[in-house]
Amino acid sequence: MTAKLTREQKEALERWQEHCRQIRAMTAVSVEVSRETPAERDRRIKRLLSDYDAFTEYYFPHYLALKDKTTGEVIRTIHNAPFHSKAAMEIKNTPNLKGVYKWPRFHAKSTHVGVISPCWLIFQPIPLINFMVLVSKSEDAAKRLLGDLQAELENNQRLIADFGEQKNLGSWLEGEFKTKRGIKFLAIGRGQSPRGLRDREVRPDYIVIDDLDDDELCRSEKRVKEATEWVKEALFGALDAGRGRFIMVGNLISKNSVLANIAASKGVRVSEIKAIDKDGNPTWKDKWTKGEAQAYRDFVGYRAWEKEMMHNPITDGTIFRHEWIRFKRLPKLNKYDMLVCYTDPSFKSTTSNDYKACRLWGKIGTELHLIDTYVRQDTVSGMVRWLYNLYERTRDYVAISFFMEANFMQDIILDEFATEGNIRGYQLPILPDTRKKPEKIQRIEAVSPLWERGLVFYNEALKNSPDMEVGIEQTLALERGSRAHDDAPDADEGAIWYLQRNSRQEIFKPVAIPRRSPKNIW
């Protein structure tokens, strides 16, 4: 490099050089491999080039090593997830691929699609990549991604031992480099002109668009539309008449995003991986445990988890507003005119991991208070235990009316109540909600003016509890057509309906009107 580096570039270069030193240390060739005969070496390489998982484990052990954050020591070695291998095979076997890989954070989408898979294709007997372009939200971001690939090609001792020295011309800091085999790599940022990209007679044949979207871009429909057009017209047009692998990776941070638009385009193959399955088990089981996933979800909160890990971006809906959410210190339970606990178990045979919601509401004068709340992705038995515990905490000094939608009071749920009741020696007095109800959103919209008029308050003592936070997020995200969970606001509507019905009955006092005789009418 001849140009003088800025302070930021010097620091970036130092970090990259340290990364290169770690790669060299982690990829030392074993004594056994160094003693192979040429025939043994050729058989091993042939096997690795035909098996993506074996290729990853041999040449990239540093990406599969989980380290202690304090000591830096390797705790254990993990393995590729099935979706990593499936994606690699799809990329390899589809020369003119248009693909979108929607994977969650921490699931190695940049590592596999931007580093390991390209190496796997480059070192095939006939190279499957001749000119790779890495694209990101900015040129600097694209250069950093390119730096990870150059670090491997020039410092990975196992790659060098089997395929020879790769270092030739250029640097990721300059945004491009070339290997000794003549394969070119280029980094560009969102919106830069890729027209006319070629290396002599060679046009790009492997384009990776990595994390192109950001929150600022997604707030503008116009900018997202312009960026989408740039991807489809200028960037895709850099291929030779559409020939080559055209890949986009990222997580769905907004419904209004370039990733969403490209994924919805005709002819695009989409791989959508969520962090956990319907039972809460991690999709990449080797990476983390169910408990670790739950702890992460509890810490980042409902909205961030759904957005970054489950491809369910939640924005403020159209029914409730932030300023309508009010907290206050609540009175003792015996001060309330009426108490209702309404349960929405969302017990469905669906692929989504639905929430169960139990909401204890109280009416005092004209105000409605959310006193206690349970909003969790839990088992039916966990929900039932919470309800029994609530009853036992309160039954000696207040009367709570327990309701559940009649459609959910199925045998399996009633069995859970009966089982818990047999253990405790009594049955919870829960009643079915047998109303003939209009559509859900319509019902919730009907009670939303109570929030707007300042008649609804939440328990200040539970302000930072996960159950309260999830319930508020669901309430604020509610809108027609949304995929956001709505179990908490649905339970709120049920409880408030019964509280309001009781008030209407108290207010209405029948008046006897004496019947007139026919002769007095005229």
Side-chain angles (χ1 to χ4, degrees):
M1 294 183 63
T2 57
K4 187 176 181 180
L5 298 179
T6 65
R7 181 173 60 84
E8 290 78 9
Q9 288 175 323
K10 287 180 181 179
E11 292 174 352
L13 181 59
E14 288 174 0
R15 290 192 297 271
W16 184 78
Q17 290 170 338
E18 175 57 32
H19 178 56
C20 291
R21 284 192 287 271
Q22 294 176 4
I23 292 173
R24 289 194 292 270
M26 292 287 290
T27 59
V29 178
S30 67
V31 175
E32 292 79 6
V33 171
S34 65
R35 291 175 177 172
E36 288 176 334
T37 65
E40 290 172 335
R41 173 180 174 275
D42 290 344
R43 282 196 299 270
R44 175 178 56 78
I45 293 174
K46 183 179 180 180
R47 176 179 61 83
L48 295 175
L49 290 176
S50 64
D51 185 336
Y52 184 73
D53 287 341
F55 181 88
T56 303
E57 290 178 13
Y58 179 71
Y59 292 110
F60 299 92
H62 41 299
Y63 280 116
L64 299 176
L66 288 185
K67 297 182 179 180
D68 185 285
K69 292 183 179 180
T70 304
T71 65
E73 295 180 0
V74 176
I75 302 172
R76 62 186 176 90
T77 299
I78 61 176
H79 302 281
N80 287 346
F83 60 86
H84 293 141
S85 311
K86 182 179 179 181
M89 291 302 297
E90 181 177 61
I91 292 170
K92 179 185 177 186
N93 296 330
T94 315
N96 296 327
L97 172 68
K98 294 187 289 292
V100 170
Y101 295 90
K102 294 196 310 188
W103 298 351
R105 292 189 68 187
F106 321 122
H107 283 62
K109 50 188 177 291
S110 299
T111 298
H112 281 277
V113 180
V115 177
I116 300 177
S117 287
C119 289
W120 194 46
L121 301 183
I122 288 166
F123 294 118
Q124 293 295 321
I126 299 176
L128 300 181
I129 295 177
N130 295 291
F131 188 170
M132 174 176 171
V133 179
L134 245 171
V135 187
S136 194
K137 66 189 70 175
S138 69
E139 186 178 10
D140 286 342
K143 287 178 180 178
R144 287 192 294 271
L145 293 169
L146 194 65
D148 291 339
L149 182 54
Q150 187 173 15
E152 297 296 337
L153 292 172
E154 297 183 0
N155 294 275
N156 189 308
Q157 299 302 293
R158 296 180 182 182
L159 288 176
I160 293 171
D162 286 347
F163 305 108
E165 288 282 348
Q166 302 300 313
K167 188 172 184 178
N168 189 18
L169 300 172
S171 165
W172 62 274
L173 275 174
E174 297 170 342
E176 62 180 295
F177 70 93
K178 185 181 287 190
T179 68
K180 280 194 173 181
R181 301 178 74 176
I183 300 171
K184 184 172 180 176
F185 301 86
L186 180 69
I188 65 173
R190 184 178 67 208
Q192 286 183 249
S193 175
R195 296 185 185 278
L197 282 181
R198 66 175 64 200
D199 185 37
R200 296 184 180 177
E201 76 284 358
V202 179
R203 280 185 172 273
D205 55 3
Y206 189 93
I207 297 178
V208 177
I209 311 163
D210 193 323
D211 278 337
L212 194 76
D213 295 304
D214 56 38
D215 292 332
E216 182 183 2
L217 174 76
C218 293
R219 282 192 285 269
S220 169
E221 289 189 13
K222 180 182 178 183
R223 292 186 62 198
V224 168
K225 182 176 182 292
E226 290 172 348
T228 302
E229 290 172 351
W230 175 79
V231 169
K232 287 188 171 185
E233 297 172 11
L235 196 55
F236 185 69
L239 299 175
D240 184 11
R243 301 184 187 96
R245 295 166 173 88
F246 191 76
I247 303 168
M248 190 170 192
V249 300
N251 56 316
L252 190 66
I253 65 172
S254 174
K255 296 172 187 176
N256 177 47
S257 61
V258 182
L259 184 77
N261 292 343
I262 299 302
S265 300
K266 187 176 181 179
V268 174
R269 300 190 186 189
V270 179
S271 166
E272 179 177 287
I273 301 298
K274 297 181 179 181
I276 58 175
D277 63 17
K278 62 183 179 63
D279 298 317
N281 297 310
T283 307
W284 191 0
K285 296 181 176 63
D286 246 23
K287 174 74 173 183
W288 56 349
T289 65
K290 184 175 182 179
E292 288 174 328
Q294 180 65 53
Y296 181 83
R297 179 170 54 189
D298 290 343
F299 181 78
V300 301
Y302 171 75
R303 184 177 296 210
W305 172 264
E306 291 293 316
K307 171 183 173 181
E308 297 179 346
M309 310 301 286
M310 301 297 287
H311 308 299
N312 182 28
I314 297 170
T315 54
D316 289 347
T318 58
I319 300 175
F320 294 89
R321 298 180 183 176
H322 270 285
E323 58 265 29
W324 297 353
I325 305 299
R326 301 172 178 90
F327 289 89
K328 71 185 302 184
R329 185 177 179 181
L330 302 188
K332 293 181 179 179
L333 292 183
N334 58 13
K335 301 295 184 182
Y336 285 92
D337 304 328
M338 183 179 180
L339 296 163
V340 171
C341 182
Y342 195 100
T343 295
D344 180 356
S346 289
F347 189 75
K348 309 169 188 173
S349 298
T350 63
T351 56
S352 61
N353 197 2
D354 292 310
Y355 281 79
K356 295 168 177 61
C358 307
R359 309 279 271 183
L360 174 60
W361 283 86
K363 180 182 180 298
I364 183 166
T366 60
E367 292 184 2
L368 297 163
H369 296 169
L370 178 63
I371 301 165
D372 206 350
T373 175
Y374 166 99
V375 187
R376 302 174 194 174
Q377 290 174 308
D378 198 0
T379 60
V380 174
S381 58
M383 176 196 74
V384 170
R385 283 194 299 272
W386 188 90
L387 287 168
Y388 269 90
N389 291 339
L390 172 65
Y391 180 70
E392 291 184 356
R393 293 199 313 267
T394 60
R395 63 181 175 181
D396 291 338
Y397 61 99
V398 292
I400 297 175
S401 298
F402 289 85
F403 290 94
M404 181 187 295
E405 187 172 346
N407 293 342
F408 289 122
M409 296 192 74
Q410 306 158 4
D411 290 342
I412 189 167
I413 292 184
L414 291 177
D415 287 346
E416 294 284 356
F417 277 99
T419 300
E420 189 68 22
N422 291 336
I423 294 172
R424 303 199 188 213
Y426 67 92
Q427 294 298 316
L428 186 73
I430 189 164
L431 297 171
D433 177 7
T434 57
R435 292 179 289 159
K436 292 184 178 179
K437 300 185 291 186
E439 182 255 344
K440 182 189 296 184
I441 295 294
Q442 184 180 343
R443 288 187 283 110
I444 297 172
E445 282 179 330
V447 299
S448 64
L450 297 170
W451 273 257
E452 184 177 8
R453 288 157 50 195
L455 300 176
V456 173
F457 293 89
Y458 293 74
N459 190 346
E460 191 174 66
L462 300 178
K463 188 172 184 178
N464 297 316
S465 73
D467 298 275
M468 182 67 80
E469 290 178 347
V470 171
I472 290 173
E473 292 285 3
Q474 289 188 4
T475 301
L476 293 176
L478 195 68
E479 65 181 351
R480 292 185 180 275
S482 172
R483 291 193 299 121
H485 295 285
D486 55 15
D487 312 279
D490 193 21
D492 292 341
E493 184 278 331
I496 289 172
W497 188 90
Y498 279 99
L499 291 172
Q500 297 287 73
R501 183 190 69 161
N502 183 66
S503 298
R504 289 192 295 270
Q505 289 175 343
E506 289 179 354
I507 292 170
F508 177 71
K509 295 180 180 179
V511 177
I513 301 175
R515 182 180 179 184
R516 297 179 182 180
S517 62
K519 64 181 180 180
N520 293 331
I521 295 178
W522 304 105

